[in-house]
């Protein structure tokens, strides 16, 4: 899915409960996601629009769209953001005031939210870190909202790419992807050799490089930031791998790509 990644500014993230966020009227000023992790919480926008959410459910929050929060015992995580592209981002992933609740979202969303909250507590300021995870959450919501056309078994290379996207390109190896798929790593290696005519590790590297190229052309962030967002273990490894595959450094490749597109 190609979503607009410009004009979004991360604002805040935290964990709330009845004790820290008591029931009552709430007046959000930013866009955001509220993900329920415990208890039962009710978001009431009107007599006819009430959402009772349980652990694993998520609701979209829109600015200047007040709601009444209620629940005997609840706990949820939230992240908020704003900017000129925030509304388009929500539209792209299938969220709207008339369709704001998403039931039983993928557990990876909680992982991404935890990473954002922890980074906020550590006073991290790298915008690429926060935005890549917000977009990762958006992709997962989009996948959940999308109506499947038909059931079709995915190939192992397709599953490798899907898991890379779901994990936001973090902590990727053929061994841990195999563990998530509950198969032997050799199964993935043989599948990549048979279907793609390349080793599985090489295919995984190509996936990371494709993500890095996407970020190089769509964001102004430095190569060091993009290195982590694309799942490379270190900036040095990223530069070496990128130049080996393209013949250019990341910044040289970005400049040449901009020149060719403006020509």
């Amino acid at each position: 899915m190609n979503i607009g990644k410009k004009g979004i500014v991360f604002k805040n993230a935290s964990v709330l409960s009845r004790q820290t966020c008591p029931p009552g009227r709430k007046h959000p000023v930013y866009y955001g996601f509220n993900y329920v992790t415990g208890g039962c919480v009710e978001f009431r926008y009107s007599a006819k629009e009430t959402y009772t959410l349980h652990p694993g459910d998520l609701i979209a929050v829109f600015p200047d769209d007040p709601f009444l929060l209620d629940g005997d015992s609840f706990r949820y995580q939230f992240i908020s953001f704003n900017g000129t592209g925030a509304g388009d981002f929500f539209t792209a992933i299938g969220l709207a005031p008339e369709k704001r609740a998403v039931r039983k979202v993928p557990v990876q969303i909680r992982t991404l939210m935890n990473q954002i909250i922890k980074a906020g507590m550590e006073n991290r300021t790298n915008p690429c870190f926060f935005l890549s995870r917000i977009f990762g959450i958006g992709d997962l919501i989009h996948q959940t909202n999308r109506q499947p056309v038909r059931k079709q078994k995915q190939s192992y290379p397709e599953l490798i790419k899907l898991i890379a996207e779901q994990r936001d390109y973090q902590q990727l190896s053929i061994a841990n992807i195999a563990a998530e798929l509950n198969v032997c790593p050799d199964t993935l290696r043989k599948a990549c050799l048979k279907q793609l005519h390349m080793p599985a590790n090489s295919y995984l590297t190509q996936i990371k490089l494709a993500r890095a190229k996407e970020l190089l052309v769509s964001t102004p962030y430095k190569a060091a930031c993009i290195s982590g967002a694309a799942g490379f273990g270190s900036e040095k490894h990223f530069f070496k791998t990128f130049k080996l595959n393209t013949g250019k450094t990341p910044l040289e490749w970005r400049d040449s790509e901009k020149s060719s597109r403006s020509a």
Side-chain angles (χ1 to χ4, degrees):
M1 178 187 63
N2 184 20
I3 56 178
K5 297 189 176 182
K6 295 181 179 179
I8 294 181
V9 181
F10 168 72
K11 289 295 182 178
N12 198 7
S14 187
V15 178
L16 299 178
S17 67
R18 185 182 176 90
Q19 287 70 41
T20 57
C21 184
R25 181 68 62 177
K26 309 299 176 183
H27 295 81
V29 295
Y30 304 124
Y31 290 87
F33 301 121
N34 290 355
Y35 175 78
V36 180
T37 60
C40 175
V41 59
E42 183 178 85
F43 293 82
R44 187 182 308 152
Y45 293 86
S46 68
K48 294 184 178 180
E49 190 185 4
T50 298
Y51 303 91
T52 301
L53 304 187
H54 300 86
D57 295 339
L58 176 146
I59 195 164
V61 176
F62 293 78
D64 304 317
D65 190 8
F67 58 87
L68 186 66
L69 183 72
D70 196 12
D72 292 333
S73 176
F74 62 80
R75 181 180 174 88
Y76 69 88
Q77 300 170 321
F78 85 89
I79 64 171
S80 63
F81 49 89
N82 210 357
T84 57
D88 291 338
F89 171 63
F90 262 24
T91 300
I93 64 178
L95 294 177
E98 63 273 14
K99 188 182 178 184
R100 63 181 93 219
V102 187
R103 308 289 181 177
K104 299 301 178 185
V105 297
V107 295
Q108 292 94 333
I109 284 180
R110 184 173 184 179
T111 300
L112 294 173
M113 282 190 143
N114 283 335
Q115 291 174 0
I116 292 174
I117 292 168
K118 181 180 179 182
M121 294 173 63
E122 295 173 347
N123 295 318
R124 294 184 62 169
T125 58
N126 186 334
C128 189
F129 176 91
F130 294 103
L131 292 180
S132 66
R133 282 148 183 80
I134 291 173
F135 298 137
I137 292 170
D139 282 334
L140 290 167
I141 291 173
H142 174 72
Q143 293 167 21
T144 303
N145 281 331
R146 186 173 53 194
Q147 294 294 326
V149 177
R150 62 173 182 168
K151 292 285 185 179
Q152 184 175 355
K153 187 175 180 181
Q154 292 177 293
S155 68
Y156 282 123
E158 289 173 334
L159 289 172
I160 291 173
K161 188 172 187 297
L162 177 62
I163 289 177
E165 293 170 349
Q166 290 178 341
R167 288 191 177 186
D168 199 31
Y169 303 86
Q170 303 303 305
Q171 298 178 345
L172 291 178
S173 72
I174 293 302
N176 57 34
I177 291 176
E180 188 161 328
L181 293 173
N182 198 27
V183 298
C184 175
D186 279 343
T187 300
L188 300 185
R189 296 186 183 105
K190 290 176 181 178
C192 288
L193 285 172
K194 181 178 180 181
Q195 298 173 37
L196 305 177
H197 308 292
M198 70 168 66
N201 284 328
S202 297
Y203 176 55
L204 196 53
T205 297
Q206 294 304 314
I207 291 174
K208 294 178 182 180
L209 286 170
R211 175 60 171 164
K213 289 177 179 179
E214 178 188 353
L215 292 171
L216 282 167
V217 298
S218 64
T219 74
Y221 303 129
K222 295 181 179 179
C225 167
I226 290 173
S227 168
F232 287 89
S234 68
E235 184 181 352
K236 182 178 179 181
H237 175 57
F238 171 53
F239 273 71
K240 181 179 180 181
T241 304
F242 197 96
K243 188 161 187 178
L244 184 65
N245 281 266
T246 66
K248 300 176 181 178
T249 67
L251 297 184
E252 288 172 344
W253 185 89
R254 171 188 271 167
D255 291 340
S256 65
E257 196 69 12
K258 286 182 178 179
S259 297
S260 64
R261 295 190 181 195
S262 61

